[in-house]
Amino acid sequence: MGRSRRTIPEELLLLALDPTTGTTAQPQSLDLGLAGAQLVELALAGRIAPDGDRIAVVVPRPTGDPTLDCALELLRRRGAPVRAVHWIGGPRLGLRQTYLSHLERCGMVHAVAGQMCGVLPTTRYQATDTAISREIRTRLDSAIRTGVPPDPRTAALAALAHAVGLGKHLYPGNEGRSSRSRLRDLIRHDPMGGLVAHAVMDVQNGVAAQPRRSPAAPAGRGGAPEPARGVPMQPRHGSMARAVAH
């Protein structure tokens, strides 16, 4: 897997970064989304595949991306397909910081040290090339406004953005309501993205113990997920200790 293409976890994190404050929107649910985005990226790379509501390793060969390969190896060690909701709901201490540090090494963001309440040290991240974030956002906007089925990467990114609650960050206020609705509807265009996005929402809604009856099939008319799962309800307990200040 070459590095000419940004990965979905990287794009999801760039979408979540506020260009003004340098903080990430929805930090707790974003941690879950990044774990889910890794699954989608591994699926697009042909390393894993959905097996009902579970994830199975089909090609254990490394991708060349250290962070993805770590996730792939952990999945391989399970020895059997694992439920997506259990994988995403597992401990992911430091995953967001890992990707922020990676983006900094790649020159896409730079760290800005500061203090909270004049005492606690904090680190904020500013995009160094806003054109990259604009390109990602343009892809989402195009899929939302044209109605043309997006490519699998954009569809998966949209599904994850909706699942972690970035809709109100990207399309705020009453004027953004229709865009948020169409962002939600894009979940139906990628089965793997839909499976992972629903798993992310299930973890947040505290229903991880219940198996999903049709994990790969969109729910409701037009493939949209159930309205009750449209907005994250609960932050995950035990989120990373060194979260970026927001």
Side-chain angles (χ1 to χ4, degrees):
M1 177 179 170
R3 294 300 301 147
S4 59
R5 187 196 297 272
R6 292 182 301 274
T7 65
I8 293 176
E10 293 166 7
E11 293 197 328
L12 182 66
L13 187 50
L14 286 171
L15 272 180
L17 272 179
D18 188 302
T20 302
T21 65
T23 62
T24 53
Q26 305 288 52
Q28 287 81 21
S29 56
L30 182 60
D31 290 342
L32 302 175
L34 290 173
Q38 287 185 313
L39 294 181
V40 176
E41 191 66 47
L42 287 170
L44 289 172
R47 301 314 196 263
I48 64 174
D51 180 7
D53 67 346
R54 298 175 183 266
I55 302 299
V57 175
V58 293
V59 177
R61 185 177 69 251
T63 66
D65 181 301
T67 309
L68 290 176
D69 289 342
C70 179
L72 179 61
E73 176 61 14
L74 289 174
L75 286 167
R76 186 193 66 78
R77 290 179 183 176
R78 294 291 184 98
V82 59
R83 286 186 64 199
V85 71
H86 288 163
W87 173 262
I88 290 168
R92 292 292 178 272
L93 189 65
L95 186 58
R96 180 160 31 111
Q97 185 59 51
T98 295
Y99 274 106
L100 284 168
S101 298
H102 168 73
L103 291 177
E104 185 180 18
R105 288 193 301 271
C106 292
M108 285 189 273
V109 303
H110 69 275
V112 179
Q115 289 184 327
M116 179 184 295
C117 300
V119 178
L120 299 175
T122 63
T123 304
R124 300 173 185 270
Y125 291 84
Q126 299 286 349
T128 56
D129 187 353
T130 56
I132 295 176
S133 297
R134 286 198 303 270
E135 184 272 329
I136 298 169
R137 177 68 179 271
T138 296
R139 281 166 38 215
L140 281 187
D141 290 346
S142 177
I144 286 172
R145 292 169 183 166
T146 66
V148 176
D151 63 273
R153 301 185 70 83
T154 302
L157 180 63
L160 287 161
H162 165 67
V164 303
L166 289 183
K168 290 185 178 181
H169 168 71
L170 299 171
Y171 306 103
N174 288 332
E175 64 275 16
R177 183 177 300 172
S178 61
S179 292
R180 293 195 298 272
S181 177
R182 288 192 289 270
L183 178 71
R184 178 199 65 205
D185 291 345
L186 290 176
I187 203 170
R188 71 184 187 273
H189 288 292
D190 181 65
M192 184 65 179
L195 167 64
V196 169
H198 278 118
V200 169
M201 290 186 282
D202 281 349
V203 172
Q204 294 174 87
N205 293 339
V207 294
Q210 298 298 320
R212 176 170 292 279
R213 288 177 294 178
S214 302
R221 181 180 300 178
E226 302 93 318
R229 291 180 181 168
V231 178
M233 295 174 61
Q234 297 178 348
R236 182 176 56 148
H237 294 295
S239 59
M240 58 178 286
R242 294 182 59 193
V244 180
H246 69 286

